Amino acid sequence: MNWTQVIKESVFVILTSGIFTWIAQELWKNHFAKRFKKYEYDLAESSKNIDRQLNISIESHKKALELIYFKASRLHDTRIKVIAELYEKLVLLDLAMREMTALLKYITKDVEKDSKIENEKIKHASDIHNEFYVFYLKNKIFLSASTCKLIDKIKEDYFSSYFDYTHGKTYAYQDSDLSFKLAKAASDKVYKEIPIIMENIENEFRAIIGVEK
């Protein structure tokens, strides 16, 4: 046996094996490095896409919120205008009803003149009532159900007072006691009962427009 030859062949095998192992390791390292770089690139791109989508989503939500705020702001402005005009008409109606149902009135010695003044007050109260009610019906959509309930109640009480007062005038020359009772009932409702409802309505209006009680 030629040991020299055997040793040479063994060394060759070992060297060759080592070279192949090194080449394999280098190839694997190179392959891994490329895959890692690709992974880093894909991760960076994915992060960019997520950022873009997030920015788009944020902008979309921002625009939606701005639109909601704009609509809410316009609705609130509209409600304030409606409430301001409705309250003005309500106050004018209250003043007209108070003037009409007042038990103590200034009268002249001219019966015809006094009757004319009285009829003008009755007509004025009727016209103001109708103007108030028409405006309310056209704009009640801007008011809450609880507010509408109060306004419906005060409208009914005003109408009831108006009916009692004018109905009493019809019987003024037939039954003076009945006429006075109806006129007093109408006056009591306007001066004693309706102010309580009016105060509740005012509190509702203050809450809507953001005014402290």
Side-chain angles (χ1 to χ4, degrees):
M1 177 180 294
N2 190 342
W3 288 103
T4 302
Q5 185 66 30
V6 171
I7 291 172
K8 288 181 178 181
E9 291 178 356
S10 296
V11 171
F12 177 76
V13 170
I14 292 171
L15 290 173
T16 304
S17 176
I19 291 171
F20 281 139
T21 301
W22 179 81
I23 292 173
Q25 288 177 345
E26 289 299 315
L27 290 174
W28 170 251
K29 287 179 181 179
N30 187 47
H31 174 71
F32 180 78
K34 288 181 178 179
R35 290 196 62 183
F36 184 74
K37 286 183 179 179
K38 186 177 185 304
Y39 173 74
E40 284 185 324
Y41 175 79
D42 291 342
L43 185 62
E45 287 298 311
S46 177
S47 178
K48 289 178 181 178
N49 287 332
I50 291 174
D51 287 341
R52 281 195 292 268
Q53 293 298 323
L54 182 60
N55 289 332
I56 292 172
S57 178
I58 290 174
E59 285 299 317
S60 177
H61 280 81
K62 183 180 178 181
K63 289 180 180 179
L65 288 173
E66 287 176 350
L67 181 60
I68 292 172
Y69 176 79
F70 176 71
K71 289 182 178 180
S73 179
R74 287 193 61 184
L75 175 61
H76 187 64
D77 290 343
T78 301
R79 294 185 77 192
I80 289 177
K81 291 179 182 178
V82 168
I83 288 172
E85 189 167 350
L86 182 63
Y87 183 67
E88 180 182 358
K89 293 182 183 299
L90 182 59
V91 170
L92 291 176
L93 173 59
D94 188 66
L95 292 174
M97 290 296 294
R98 284 172 175 269
E99 185 178 19
M100 184 188 75
T101 60
L103 295 179
L104 297 178
K105 297 178 181 179
Y106 173 78
I107 58 174
T108 67
K109 295 181 179 180
D110 189 333
V111 176
E112 185 177 346
K113 183 178 180 180
D114 289 339
S115 178
K116 182 181 179 181
I117 293 174
E118 180 69 9
N119 290 333
E120 287 176 351
K121 290 180 180 179
I122 292 173
K123 184 180 184 304
H124 177 64
S126 176
D127 292 342
I128 293 294
H129 173 274
N130 292 338
E131 185 178 342
F132 158 77
Y133 192 53
V134 169
F135 181 83
Y136 164 64
L137 290 178
K138 290 168 63 177
N139 293 279
K140 64 185 297 185
I141 190 66
F142 296 106
L143 304 173
S144 66
S146 60
T147 302
C148 289
K149 188 175 181 180
L150 287 172
I151 294 175
D152 289 336
K153 171 60 177 171
I154 203 170
K155 185 268 175 191
E156 291 173 3
D157 284 356
Y158 277 130
F159 182 79
S160 174
S161 177
Y162 179 87
F163 179 82
D164 285 346
Y165 187 83
T166 56
H167 192 63
K169 290 293 180 182
T170 304
Y171 295 97
Y173 298 104
Q174 301 177 15
D175 190 336
S176 58
D177 288 339
L178 176 61
S179 176
F180 178 76
K181 287 179 181 178
L182 290 173
K184 188 176 185 306
S187 181
D188 287 344
K189 181 163 293 195
V190 170
Y191 281 87
K192 296 179 181 179
E193 297 178 22
I194 286 179
I196 298 173
I197 306 173
M198 178 72 84
E199 183 179 0
N200 291 331
I201 291 174
E202 289 171 347
N203 289 336
E204 288 269 335
F205 285 171
R206 290 190 184 100
I208 293 172
I209 64 178
V211 176
E212 295 181 1
K213 295 182 180 180

